């Protein structure tokens, strides 16, 4: 349960920082840790109905953007 809560806190840290205009940089080590633990099927999270479809990003994109693109929630809209 702790990894899921920690991942949620990480993603919502970005979300809240964007909402208030603060620095939205996330530690790439945490982003990598949670990115590699996501389901191998890119659309796997959206099947639950809790997440939007993944946002398309390029292979050369930083790991923070890749994580946010695979973890799209209606309030997160985009990983830009």
């Amino acid at each position: 349960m702790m990894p899921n809560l920690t991942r949620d806190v990480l993603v919502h840290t970005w979300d809240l920082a964007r909402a208030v205009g603060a620095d939205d940089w996330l530690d790439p080590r945490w982003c990598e840790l949670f990115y590699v633990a996501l389901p191998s099927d890119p659309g796997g999270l959206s099947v639950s109905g809790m997440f939007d479809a993944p946002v398309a990003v390029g292979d050369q994109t930083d790991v923070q953007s890749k994580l946010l693109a695979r973890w799209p929630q209606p309030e997160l809209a985009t990983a830009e």
Side-chain angles (χ1 to χ4, degrees):
M1 182 168 179
M2 285 305 290
N4 289 334
L5 292 175
T6 305
R7 182 181 52 226
D8 285 349
V9 168
L10 181 72
V11 171
H12 289 298
T13 297
W14 174 86
D15 182 34
L16 291 171
R18 301 267 305 196
V20 300
D23 181 7
D24 63 1
W25 178 87
L26 300 174
D27 187 313
R29 294 169 294 185
W30 282 108
C31 292
E32 182 69 26
L33 178 72
F34 293 124
Y35 178 73
V36 299
L38 289 173
S40 58
D41 174 13
L45 294 174
S46 61
V47 174
S48 71
M50 293 176 56
F51 303 93
D52 288 340
V55 176
V57 294
D59 290 337
Q60 301 303 315
T61 303
D62 63 277
V63 70
Q64 175 177 322
S65 295
K66 288 180 181 181
L67 173 66
L68 295 170
R70 288 283 308 276
W71 194 258
Q73 299 175 19
E75 70 271 17
L76 299 183
T78 180
E80 292 178 33

